[in-house]
Each structure stands twice: as structure tokens, then as C-alpha cells.
Amino acid sequence: MRIDILTILPELLDSPLRHSIIKRAQDKGLVEIHLHNIRDYSTDKHRSVDDYSFGGDAGMVMRIEPVFAAIEALKKERDYDEMIYTSPDGEQYNQQTANELSLLNNVLILCGHYKGIDHRIREHLITREISIGDYVLTGGELAAAVMVDSIVRLLPGVISDETSALNDSFQDGLLAPPVYTRPAEFNGWKVPDVLLSGNFRVIAEWQEQQAMERTQHLRPDLWSEKV
Ligand code: ADE
């Protein structure tokens, strides 16, 4: 899979994409992630990427020319399965969307900024608009990082235990059961006896029960979709 990210702040994405599991996935050749600075496609002498909005509203708007030039340059190289724009008014991101996107070959993510972007980009070039939640970030970079992280960990070979991504919270519409490690008792706080029993059938039943109870209590919205 290849992911191209268009941004005016590539530095903001550097750290989340250059460490740990996401870095190893790139090193192993399981995913290519390319950051592109939109400013590099600006042709005016100040390399400007924003301008005042028509209609006189307060706030700057991302200009069409550099974004268009960046997208055109990338599109010349390959076809994109999806061209995503990050925005608080997009469809809400969830595990299902991450699953869908992880099956694609070429994805482009355009990070929104300022008050927004010249709407013609959204109308004519973007295929999908995604919000990571009902709150407003200063820009789309952190949203892009969240999406890329959740997509890349689903790619085959990225997480060593192949079953672990499938067992994630949300994959089956349930929250994950609690987990523990040694010591079996700390400060008088005990790990549930069943987990020490060595009986894997009973342990699996307990975990399923816990997953259902936690979902019912903590996320009744998810639970009601299941029953
Ligand atoms: N840009 C600003 N807020 C955002 C959000 N909630 N999701 C995606 N992109 C955004």
C-alpha cells in the first residue's frame, strides 16, 4: 500500500510516522508513506498557500492553485483509489472505515487547514471527506496521523501476532476484555483467578463475557447495534 499525504506542516506528521510499529512497517516494505509539502507547489514568490476568503468572512482559506498542482503532479504518477480530505464536517471515522481503507493500493490524504480549503478542490478532486470526531483540530495533520496509524496496523505482517489486529476492540463491535501481566498479586490487588487456571476454554468464555459486559456498560450505543 502507498499513502501520500499533502500538508502545509509536514513536521507535524514526522514523529508519529517515524517511530515504532509504523516505522517498522515502512522499513519492512509493507507500506510506503510519502509526505508532500503543499508550499513546494506554490509558484508565487512568498510560497503562499492561503488567501482571504471571498465574501469577507474572517479567516484564511487554502488556495486552489498549489493544492491543485500538488494533486495533479501525484496523479500523473499513479491512480488513486481514494483521495481523502480531512475535515470536521466529513463522515465520521471508525474501525469499519479503517478496514476498508487498508484494502486499497493508493490513498491520498489532503490535510485541511485554516478556515478551510477552496471548495472547488472538494467538489472536483476529493472522493471522500473524513472527520475523526466531533471536535475541531487546528489542522488535519493529527487526523491524518490517526487514520494512517489505524490503517497501517491492519496490513498483513505489520503486527507480528496475526490474530491480534482481528481481536481489537471494535472489530466485532465489542470492547476488548481486560488484560493483566505478572505479578499475579500486587499491593493486594489480584488478577482474576480464571486467568491463572490454564483452562483455555474457560478463559475464552470469561473474556467474551467481560467484552460483552464492558460494552454494555461503557458503550451502550455499540451494544444496542449488536442486539
Ligand atoms: N480538521 C479539523 N478538525 C478535524 C477533525 N475533527 N477531523 C478531521 N480533520 C479535522
Side-chain angles (χ1 to χ4, degrees), residues 9 12 59 81 85 87 115-116 127 134 152 155 169 182 194 200 204:
L9 288 170
L12 263 186
D81 303 305
Y85 177 63
S87 170
K115 236 189 99 191
T127 59
D134 283 344
V152 170
L155 300 177
S169 282
R182 288 182 292 183
V194 59
F200 292 109

Side-chain angles (χ1 to χ4, degrees), residues 24-220:
R24 283 203 296 280
Q26 294 170 87
D27 292 347
K28 284 200 228 164
L30 301 171
V31 63
E32 274 184 48
I33 305 171
H34 297 270
L35 300 179
H36 306 275
N37 192 339
I38 295 169
R39 220 172 271 284
D40 293 341
Y41 294 87
S42 178
T43 51
D44 72 356
K45 68 173 189 285
H46 302 294
R47 304 215 304 155
S48 77
V49 287
D50 61 330
D51 206 341
Y52 296 101
S53 69
F54 279 126
D57 284 346
M60 303 297 273
V61 174
M62 243 156 107
R63 293 171 49 219
I64 192 166
E65 294 102 321
V67 176
F68 182 79
I71 292 179
E72 283 300 293
L74 288 168
K75 271 174 56 180
K76 271 205 190 102
E77 302 294 323
R78 69 198 60 78
D79 289 331
Y80 287 95
D81 303 305
E82 220 50 287
M83 309 233 286
I84 297 168
Y85 177 63
T86 58
S87 170
D89 54 15
E91 63 174 287
Q92 189 143 337
Y93 194 65
N94 59 23
Q95 189 63 46
Q96 171 64 29
T97 320
N99 294 349
E100 274 169 45
L101 296 177
S102 75
L103 301 174
L104 304 179
N105 289 323
N106 292 308
V107 172
L108 180 148
I109 303 176
L110 170 62
C111 302
H113 242 276
Y114 302 119
K115 236 189 99 191
I117 191 163
D118 190 304
H119 203 70
R120 288 166 288 185
I121 292 285
R122 298 171 70 169
E123 279 173 333
H124 299 290
L125 297 173
I126 294 300
T127 59
R128 200 160 179 177
E129 302 191 338
I130 294 181
S131 160
I132 61 160
D134 283 344
Y135 41 81
V136 180
L137 303 166
T138 54
E141 283 73 16
L142 296 180
V146 165
M147 288 195 289
V148 169
D149 189 284
S150 57
I151 292 165
V152 170
R153 62 187 294 287
L154 294 171
L155 300 177
V158 170
I159 292 182
S160 50
D161 172 7
E162 275 170 16
T163 60
S164 74
L166 293 175
N167 286 342
D168 287 339
S169 282
F170 301 114
Q171 279 299 9
D172 54 4
L174 291 175
L175 301 184
V179 292
Y180 303 86
T181 186
R182 288 182 292 183
E185 183 171 344
F186 173 80
N187 229 2
W189 304 330
K190 288 187 176 161
V191 170
D193 284 339
V194 59
L195 294 177
L196 311 176
S197 69
N199 184 332
F200 292 109
R201 189 182 54 78
V202 176
I203 291 174
E205 278 168 15
W206 179 85
Q207 287 171 329
E208 198 186 334
Q209 188 60 34
Q210 287 288 317
M212 291 194 293
E213 281 174 22
R214 283 171 59 75
T215 311
Q216 256 174 305
H217 287 127
L218 300 172
R219 292 294 304 272

